[in-house]
Amino acid sequence: MLQVQNLTLIHRQDLRTMVEDFTFTLQPGDKAVIIGEEGNGKSTLLQWIYNPTLVEDYVTATGKRILSGAVLGYLPQELSAADQARTVYEFFCESPVFWDQTPRDQARLSRQLGLPEDFFYFDQPVRLLSGGEKIKMQLCRIVMEAPDILLLDEPSNDIDIETLEWLENFINQSATPVLYVSHDETLIERTANVIIHLEKLERGRSVRHTISRQDYRSYITQRLAGIEKQTQLAYNEEREYKKQMQRFYQIQQKVEHQQSSISRQDPHGGRLLKKKMKAVKSQERRFEKEHETRTQVPHTELAILASFDQSISLPAGKTVVDFALPRLEAGGRLLATDVSLRVTGPEKVCIIGQNGCGKSTLMKALAETLLPRRDIQASYMPQNYEDLLDLSRSPIDYLAENGDKEEITRIRTHLGSMRYTPDEMFHPIRELSGGQKAKILFLKMIFSGANVLLLDEPTRNFSPLSSPVIRRILKEFGGAIISISHDRKFIEEVADSVYRLSGQGLELVSRTGAHELKEL
């Protein structure tokens, strides 16, 4: 059993409270997901639970962690530099239980995750694996070690649809309690039975957490209904208060008028009016006191994101891509042959395929072809944000073109709408969460005025609360989109055409994302 008692986490640099007085018990059978907007401290909370020393450089923590002898298995959001430098074989050798695995055990596990049977003995550096292969590699080692409690930080990032389905079954069938962070709504909907919701309120000046032992859809439905009900009640009470106060002001003005016009020869009438005014004032104070305890409009953290200019468009017959590549290679390895893709007009294309098949390599090749073109305005969001982001710069510095006051004000307004605190706008980008980095790149694309977007896993780091907004914005985008995604809701709601990449090239699977999901 895992217990957390009265935990408060405070960011050392800007003294911002991330989690306050958090108490939670992970019980047998729990599949608990931590949700919240980008930068709300989800990964920090999970890291602290696994090993408090991992966050002590940037967080001050008070509270207790009680494990009762339980062994924790932890999948981090990012592999360490040391692990990245190891070979796959060396990574597995770090675990003492690796040598207890029989060839049959290894073959069974590799098949379950869609990996080659000799994967455990690859001499390939870990850093050269695809994002999905890295996740699978870590999951393999964790499964081998058979911990008492699983702590998974973004286990759904970058893995292909087949492995996502395996992960769903793994979580659901696991006798081990699971505490995880994920941005994959479908995974959360199908697995979570406990929701831990972290929120920043009042522009980061206060925080709130909610623990609800129910499924995700029920939680979201009840939350939105509760917000709507409380908001309506607050508005009704405020409207009634204003009506009451207006009546009192009218009575008060009438009495004041009578007092000013009464004759000095009528002292008895003057005393009566004075007594009446006192009663009016007393009743007014009573209503004002009641008003102080009225129902408040609820403080909530709802996803707010900037949108692309509605004037962006492409002619239906415009050739956006007419791409042909005889051989797709990476690191001297042949990934696919005869790769061809044609996109015209404002088409929204999604490329799927198993991990390691070369999707990101293909996207980079497409970016090299499209970004220099003058007849279109292309913008690229890579899977690895560091390919474009200078981590030493602040978000404002990175987004600014000329640095004048008007531009800085515009950038700050947009970052504020994306839930950045004033301090975070000036933090080095390296200190921000994956979702906050994704928002910077998203905003950069909006500022660019691009009419062609190249997106490698665009929703992978957006919270399940932000992702529906992102999907709507991209669906309404007037230009063309070429994307790679394993996000089943993104494929269903955004993609017009779905292609599968394999060793034989790109195969058109369907003209609607929903059909592809049914086939899988």
Side-chain angles (χ1 to χ4, degrees), residues 296-327:
Q296 298 291 324
V297 175
H299 289 299
T300 58
E301 183 181 49
L302 300 176
I304 301 176
L305 295 168
S307 298
F308 291 91
D309 194 311
Q310 293 184 353
S311 66
I312 293 174
S313 63
L314 277 173
K318 173 67 177 177
T319 299
V320 176
V321 175
D322 192 1
F323 181 84
L325 190 66
R327 294 170 61 87

Side-chain angles (χ1 to χ4, degrees), residues 51-114:
N51 182 354
T53 63
L54 293 177
V55 300
E56 63 184 9
D57 287 344
Y58 67 96
V59 166
T60 299
T62 58
K64 291 183 179 180
R65 180 188 67 143
I66 302 172
L67 296 179
S68 303
V71 176
L72 304 180
Y74 174 60
L75 185 147
Q77 188 176 124
E78 299 288 344
L79 278 166
S80 67
D83 281 336
Q84 295 271 17
R86 292 187 175 96
T87 66
V88 174
Y89 176 64
E90 289 170 340
F91 176 82
F92 283 107
C93 287
E94 289 291 312
S95 174
V97 301
F98 176 61
W99 303 106
D100 298 330
Q101 300 291 306
T102 67
R104 178 177 294 181
D105 293 333
Q106 295 175 1
R108 176 178 49 80
L109 190 55
S110 61
R111 282 196 302 272
Q112 287 178 336
L113 274 76

Side-chain angles (χ1 to χ4, degrees), residues 211-481:
I211 300 173
S212 179
R213 291 189 171 273
Q214 59 181 327
D215 66 89
Y216 178 70
R217 239 343 97 194
S218 298
Y219 170 71
I220 292 298
T221 300
Q222 289 183 17
R223 175 176 181 266
L224 292 178
I227 290 172
E228 183 178 357
K229 181 178 179 180
Q230 185 177 337
T231 300
Q232 190 60 50
L233 183 60
Y235 285 152
N236 290 343
E237 289 182 5
E238 183 67 19
R239 187 164 51 248
E240 183 62 28
Y241 168 75
K242 288 180 178 179
K243 287 181 181 179
Q244 290 173 340
M245 294 308 295
Q246 186 176 9
R247 288 197 295 269
F248 282 124
Y249 289 144
Q250 290 173 349
I251 295 172
Q252 183 176 328
Q253 288 173 354
K254 183 177 180 180
V255 174
E256 287 176 346
H257 175 71
Q258 290 174 340
Q259 283 181 322
S260 64
S261 60
I262 194 169
S263 169
R264 290 187 178 182
Q265 280 73 37
D266 186 9
H268 177 68
R271 284 194 297 271
L272 288 176
L273 288 174
K274 188 174 182 181
K275 188 175 181 180
K276 187 175 183 181
M277 177 61 77
K278 184 176 180 181
V280 169
K281 290 286 188 182
S282 175
Q283 198 168 15
E284 180 184 7
R285 286 193 296 271
R286 179 170 63 82
F287 275 106
E288 286 180 342
K289 191 171 183 179
E290 290 176 357
H291 184 252
E292 292 175 0
T293 60
R294 72 192 185 283
T295 303
Q296 298 291 324
V297 175
H299 289 299
T300 58
E301 183 181 49
L302 300 176
I304 301 176
L305 295 168
S307 298
F308 291 91
D309 194 311
Q310 293 184 353
S311 66
I312 293 174
S313 63
L314 277 173
K318 173 67 177 177
T319 299
V320 176
V321 175
D322 192 1
F323 181 84
L325 190 66
R327 294 170 61 87
L328 180 65
E329 298 179 320
R333 183 162 59 108
L334 178 64
L335 301 171
T337 58
D338 300 323
V339 179
S340 63
L341 178 66
R342 181 177 175 82
V343 178
T344 58
E347 189 177 359
K348 295 175 174 61
V349 170
C350 183
I351 300 171
I352 64 172
Q354 292 189 338
N355 293 127
C357 70
K359 298 184 299 296
S360 292
T361 302
L362 173 58
M363 184 64 80
K364 289 178 182 178
L366 288 168
E368 290 172 1
T369 300
L370 298 182
L371 290 175
R373 281 185 32 191
R374 299 293 183 87
D375 60 322
I376 58 172
Q377 177 67 43
S379 188
Y380 173 43
M381 182 178 184
Q383 186 181 101
N384 182 6
Y385 303 150
E386 295 181 22
D387 290 348
L388 293 183
L389 292 176
D390 181 345
L391 301 185
S392 65
R393 300 170 71 183
S394 70
I396 287 180
D397 186 31
Y398 176 79
L399 292 169
E401 294 290 338
N402 53 51
D404 62 40
K405 184 176 180 181
E406 183 178 345
E407 181 188 45
I408 297 300
T409 299
R410 179 169 64 100
I411 291 171
R412 292 189 68 169
T413 299
H414 278 88
L415 288 172
S417 76
M418 290 184 164
R419 301 298 181 188
Y420 282 81
T421 67
D423 287 324
E424 288 170 339
M425 296 179 192
F426 293 95
H427 281 183
I429 293 173
R430 71 166 59 90
E431 296 180 5
L432 303 178
S433 71
Q436 288 175 308
K437 293 172 185 174
K439 284 182 175 180
I440 295 172
L441 291 175
F442 197 82
L443 200 51
K444 189 79 167 178
M445 290 190 298
I446 291 174
F447 290 163
S448 74
N451 55 12
V452 177
L453 304 181
L454 302 168
L455 309 175
D456 194 346
E457 294 287 357
T459 58
R460 63 191 286 264
N461 279 311
F462 284 110
S463 78
L465 304 170
S466 293
S467 286
V469 182
I470 289 287
R471 294 195 299 270
R472 175 181 56 77
I473 290 171
L474 294 177
K475 181 64 177 177
E476 295 172 354
F477 176 64
I481 296 177

